[in-house]
């Protein structure tokens, strides 16, 4: 199974610590007798067509891939041809110009020769942004007082499904769907057990497949939906379109524990098309998930070229696509928030300070509360989480209010209004002074004057080699549900047109003790460590950096690297240790050098351009021993 998690700050809704490392055989190429000899030429007998993604199947195994077609009408004939050539066709979405297959590099190269095939790339996966203030801070209470509650609009939440019976949602879940990919070790979360389902109950977040060891893996979606449009959320009068886009992965190597959730690109594409085809008035699509990091907009990237047209198609229908910027403390945003026509959202705390875990920079469009946010979770409960996952639905809900107030105004103009009326945060990113607005509905809707600029202090690197990625350390205190200065959202307000819940319903809402999840983020120590030093740190209990922090680092690397764990499966501490120590062959030396540099990046050093260049050498099946050695030297 070949998964590429994009971590929106990763999830199983929080940091997934690894216990005892599971060692697996790493590909061990034989050393080349001379620099002029090409390594592993038997694995790539011919130059793969340019339309096959670089590095796809380079390790010799079977890989799950999306085959892009020139015409939807060619889906069936190309699938038949692929099956005849022993390529496993695992999905043929109706009326779509792509299909999903599993095959080796050679099989995919052969399939790419078909003129009806335009390109082939891996079926990437995404994870919900880490879960970890308040409506008064963004002026939502003032907007509600003017009867702006999102009534007549809807927010589409593409996430881990919803507990439709939760009292925060009432009878406002108006559409449900599920698109959940399957393969070996990956199970569908659709209640019908199939890869797709529409209709009432299709996005149910309380099914048996959502449960693992007494925990609900699918609570993220209900929490996000509650922030956007729950009775205690930003748009308490808006309807909800709930779409389950995740699959259950039962793989210790990928998850760090027996099971976790990931969303395949193919599922996301079908979900976005589903929302585009709905007749329900929808103000925004919420994507609290993400992946690879980018300092600039990623419209022209391979990933951007796939999703930007879908985001643009939604925008043409008056629907904004609101995406979490990511929780890596990175000066940029994760994919797909980096697409220019998406609304990228970072997180701030109750004190108008950028959350220390939040991504930031010129391509982030808005900040919104994302620290200590209480919202709905399955089984009629509430819980407190933090992350850009929580900030994003604040903006999605805000756009429902904006569209209710001015339904004929183009969505692009409504988005721009939120930007121009937001409270500016001034800070430095990528060597430049940046100003990014914080959501302010009081100014956008309630007639309040725009608030003055808040200058943000830069994060000061510490000498501590093992900073804990806990937002509560530097983002201010997280509000308790009964804190009078920061009251928890009530199930309803007197200004909301939504019918008040009964006493029985009120009793069923039992706030859980505040358990703010740690957010996985980069460190702030700019000191570089050698491969030998990192091996000591990663070897269990022998270093000074906590295992949870090291596991976080590996997760961040998995978002930005195409080698780890795509080709070299260093997704656990034990496997990472082996990569760092295995330096006998050319590719092994490069792997060690790359992982060392990525770990230094995760620990706080900047710069990834050399790493990206070196990874291209590693992914090229015909790279010479000399090229491998040179690439290893460039990243040291």
């Amino acid at each position: 199974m070949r998964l590429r998690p994009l971590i929106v700050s990763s999830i199983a809704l929080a940091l997934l610590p690894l216990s005892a490392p599971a060692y697996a055989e790493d590909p061990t190429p034989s050393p080349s007798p001379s620099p002029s000899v090409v390594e592993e030429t038997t694995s790539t007998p011919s130059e793969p067509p340019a339309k096959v993604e670089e590095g796809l199947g380079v390790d010799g195994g079977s890989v799950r891939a999306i085959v892009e077609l020139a015409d939807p009408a060619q889906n069936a004939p190309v699938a038949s041809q692929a099956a005849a050539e022993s390529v496993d066709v695992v999905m043929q979405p109706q009326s779509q110009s792509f299909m999903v297959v599993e095959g080796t590099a050679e099989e995919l190269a052969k399939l790419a020769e078909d003129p009806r095939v335009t390109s082939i790339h891996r079926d990437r996966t995404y994870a919900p942004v880490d879960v970890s203030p308040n409506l008064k801070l963004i002026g939502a209470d003032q907007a509600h007082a003017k009867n702006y509650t999102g009534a007549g609009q809807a927010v589409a939440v593409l996430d881990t499904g919803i507990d439709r019976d939760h009292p925060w949602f009432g009878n406002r879940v108006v559409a449900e769907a599920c698109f959940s990919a399957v393969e070996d070790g990956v199970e569908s979360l659709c209640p019908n057990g199939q890869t797709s389902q529409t209709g009432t109950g299709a996005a149910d977040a309380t099914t048996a497949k959502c449960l693992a060891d007494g925990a609900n893996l699918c609570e993220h979606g209900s929490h996000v939906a509650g922030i956007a449009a729950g009775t205690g959320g930003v748009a308490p009068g808006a309807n909800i379109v709930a779409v389950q886009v995740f699959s259950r992965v039962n793989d210790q190597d990928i998850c760090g524990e027996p099971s976790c959730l990931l969303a395949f690109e193919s599922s996301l594409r079908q979900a976005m098309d589903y929302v585009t085809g709905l007749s329900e008035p929808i103000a925004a699509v919420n994507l609290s998930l993400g992946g690879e990091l980018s300092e600039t907009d990623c419209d022209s990237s391979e990933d951007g070229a796939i999703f930007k047209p879908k985001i643009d198609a939604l925008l043409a229908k008056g629907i904004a696509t609101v995406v979490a910027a990511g929780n890596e403390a990175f000066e940029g945003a994760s994919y797909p928030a980096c697409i220019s026509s998406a609304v990228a959202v970072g997180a701030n705390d109750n004190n108008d300070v950028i959350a220390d875990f939040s991504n930031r920079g010129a391509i982030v469009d808005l900040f919104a509360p994302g620290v200590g946010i209480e919202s709905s979770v399955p089984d009629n409960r509430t819980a407190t989480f933090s992350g850009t996952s929580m900030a994003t639905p604040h903006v999605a809900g805000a756009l429902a209010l904006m569209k209710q107030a001015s339904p004929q105004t183009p969505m692009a103009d409504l988005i721009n209004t939120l930007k121009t009326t937001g409270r500016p945060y001034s800070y430095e990113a990528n060597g430049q002074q940046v100003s990014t607005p914080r959501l302010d509905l009081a100014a956008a809707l309630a007639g309040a004057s725009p608030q003055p600029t808040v200058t943000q202090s830069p994060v000061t690197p510490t000498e501590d080699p093992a900073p804990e990625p806990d937002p509560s350390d530097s983002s201010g205190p997280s509000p308790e549900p009964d804190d009078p200065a920061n009251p928890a959202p009530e199930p309803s307000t007197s200004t909301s047109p939504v019918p008040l819940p009964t006493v029985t319903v009120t009793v069923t809402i039992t706030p859980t003790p505040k358990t703010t999840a740690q957010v996985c983020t980069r460190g702030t120590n700019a000191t570089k460590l050698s491969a030998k030093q990192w091996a000591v740190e990663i070897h269990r209990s022998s270093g000074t950096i906590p295992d949870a922090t090291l596991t976080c680092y590996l997760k961040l690397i998995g978002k930005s690297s195409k080698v780890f764990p795509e080709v070299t499966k260093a997704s656990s501490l034990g496997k990472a240790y082996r990569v760092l120590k295995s330096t006998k062959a050319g590719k092994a030396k490069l792997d060690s050098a790359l992982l060392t540099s990525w770990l230094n990046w995760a620990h706080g050093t900047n710069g990834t351009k050399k790493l990206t260049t070196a990874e291209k050498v590693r992914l090229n099946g015909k790279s010479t021993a000399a090229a491998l050695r040179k690439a290893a030297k460039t990243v040291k």
Side-chain angles (χ1 to χ4, degrees):
M1 177 175 61
R2 300 294 305 280
L3 300 179
R4 187 174 182 195
L6 282 180
I7 200 160
V8 184
S9 283
S10 326
I11 235 81
L13 301 198
L15 189 63
L16 296 175
L18 299 181
S19 52
Y23 296 100
E25 291 299 321
D26 297 322
T28 308
S30 302
S32 300
S34 68
S36 61
V37 177
V38 176
E39 290 192 350
E40 298 186 352
T41 55
T42 57
S43 65
T44 52
S46 61
E47 188 68 27
K51 54 187 176 180
V52 177
E53 180 183 352
E54 185 177 30
L56 195 63
V58 70
D59 62 349
S62 179
V63 63
R64 181 184 177 107
I66 289 179
V67 179
E68 304 285 357
L69 305 171
D71 183 351
Q74 301 301 328
N75 199 308
V78 173
S80 297
Q81 181 65 29
E85 296 176 357
S86 300
V87 176
D88 187 12
V89 179
V90 298
M91 184 185 294
Q92 287 180 257
Q94 294 183 356
S95 303
Q96 296 275 358
S97 59
F98 77 92
M99 62 184 186
V100 182
V101 303
E102 285 188 3
T104 64
E106 291 79 7
E107 291 169 342
L108 297 178
K110 178 65 175 177
L111 182 59
E113 295 174 359
D114 191 319
R116 297 168 294 187
V117 174
T118 59
S119 66
I120 300 177
H121 64 274
R122 73 186 73 250
D123 191 358
R124 301 167 179 83
T125 59
Y126 303 74
V129 174
D130 274 343
V131 289
S132 269
N134 113 0
L135 300 183
K136 186 174 181 180
L137 180 70
I138 63 170
D141 57 335
Q142 296 182 47
H144 296 166
K146 292 184 176 292
N147 291 322
Y148 297 129
T149 63
Q153 299 297 321
V155 176
V157 179
L158 277 56
D159 211 289
T160 65
I162 195 169
D163 179 2
R164 65 174 293 113
D165 296 327
H166 197 290
W168 273 40
F169 304 136
N171 295 316
R172 292 180 294 110
V173 180
V174 295
E176 292 181 67
C178 175
F179 302 95
S180 186
V182 298
E183 64 171 2
D184 185 30
V186 178
E187 297 179 282
S188 170
L189 289 173
C190 298
N192 65 2
Q194 304 301 308
T195 58
S196 65
Q197 183 178 349
T198 58
T200 302
D204 187 0
T206 63
T207 62
K209 290 292 177 64
C210 281
L211 305 179
D213 296 328
N216 190 314
L217 301 177
C218 300
E219 65 182 3
H220 190 266
S222 296
H223 198 274
V224 168
I227 296 169
T231 54
V234 178
N239 290 328
I240 299 168
V241 174
V243 187
Q244 168 67 268
V245 294
F246 283 82
S247 300
R248 175 169 174 155
V249 180
N250 302 309
D251 191 313
Q252 182 84 27
D253 291 341
I254 291 171
C255 299
E257 59 182 21
S259 299
C260 63
L261 306 186
L262 291 174
F264 283 83
E265 175 189 318
S266 53
S267 299
L268 285 171
R269 290 170 69 166
Q270 293 178 85
M272 294 177 79
D273 287 345
Y274 165 78
V275 174
T276 303
L278 291 175
S279 58
E280 178 77 23
I282 299 171
V285 169
N286 191 101
L287 291 174
S288 287
L289 48 75
E292 194 168 331
L293 301 170
S294 177
E295 293 180 2
T296 58
D297 79 58
C298 54
D299 293 0
S300 60
S301 68
E302 182 181 10
D303 293 341
I306 292 168
F307 275 91
K308 189 176 189 305
K310 296 190 179 297
I311 292 173
D312 292 347
L314 286 164
L315 191 59
K317 288 196 63 175
I319 305 172
T321 301
V322 189
V323 191
N327 299 340
E328 294 78 37
F330 180 73
E331 294 179 351
S334 60
Y335 173 84
C338 54
I339 294 175
S340 62
S341 46
V343 182
V345 184
N348 60 268
D349 67 13
N350 273 325
N351 297 316
D352 256 338
V353 175
I354 297 175
D356 57 355
F357 56 79
S358 177
N359 291 348
R360 63 204 71 193
I363 63 172
V364 174
D365 296 296
L366 286 162
F367 282 101
V371 176
I373 307 301
E374 184 177 9
S375 184
S376 47
V377 292
D379 298 326
N380 295 344
R381 297 182 299 112
T382 63
T384 302
F385 298 138
S386 296
T388 54
S389 259
M390 283 58 256
T392 304
H394 280 81
V395 175
L399 287 170
L401 270 59
M402 297 291 289
K403 196 169 182 181
Q404 176 199 0
S406 187
Q408 302 307 315
T409 301
M411 178 53 67
D413 292 344
L414 297 179
I415 295 169
N416 187 60
T417 298
L418 290 184
K419 293 180 182 180
T420 56
T421 58
R423 185 173 197 179
Y425 284 179
S426 179
Y427 57 98
E428 187 174 300
N430 297 313
Q432 298 180 349
Q433 199 64 26
V434 177
S435 180
T436 306
R438 189 263 290 150
L439 180 65
D440 186 357
L441 284 168
L445 274 179
S449 299
Q451 299 184 67
T453 298
V454 180
T455 300
Q456 303 288 326
S457 300
V459 177
T460 303
T462 66
E463 296 301 321
D464 181 6
E468 279 295 326
D470 187 346
S472 63
D473 290 341
S474 58
S475 297
S478 298
E480 294 287 343
D482 57 357
D483 184 352
N486 296 283
E490 293 294 329
S492 63
T493 66
S494 60
T495 58
S496 171
V498 181
L500 291 173
T502 65
V503 174
T504 301
V505 171
T506 302
V507 171
T508 62
I509 304 178
T510 306
T512 58
K514 184 177 71 66
T515 54
T516 301
Q518 288 186 346
V519 177
C520 178
T521 184
R522 290 176 65 203
T524 57
N525 193 311
T527 303
K528 291 185 177 181
L529 303 182
S530 66
K532 184 177 181 180
Q533 290 172 314
W534 276 116
V536 171
E537 292 293 341
I538 284 179
H539 191 276
R540 196 168 296 279
S541 302
S542 65
T544 60
I545 302 177
D547 286 353
T549 301
L550 293 168
T551 301
C552 166
Y553 287 175
L554 292 180
K555 291 168 70 177
L556 296 179
I557 292 168
K559 289 187 62 174
S560 297
S561 169
K562 292 186 177 180
V563 171
F564 309 107
E566 276 309 329
V567 175
T568 302
K569 297 178 175 60
S571 57
S572 67
L573 298 182
K575 291 179 180 178
Y577 177 81
R578 290 190 64 187
V579 171
L580 292 168
K581 299 290 287 185
S582 300
T583 58
K584 294 182 179 180
K587 286 186 177 179
K589 287 182 178 179
L590 178 53
D591 286 346
S592 177
L594 281 169
L595 183 54
T596 299
S597 295
W598 277 117
L599 284 167
N600 284 325
W601 169 81
H603 201 38
T605 61
N606 292 321
T608 59
K609 290 184 179 180
K610 289 183 179 179
L611 289 169
T612 302
T613 301
E615 287 202 341
K616 290 182 179 179
V617 177
R618 176 62 176 85
L619 293 171
N620 186 342
K622 289 180 174 286
S623 291
T624 64
L628 294 169
R629 287 197 299 270
K630 182 178 179 180
K633 290 180 180 179
T634 62
V635 297
K636 288 184 177 180

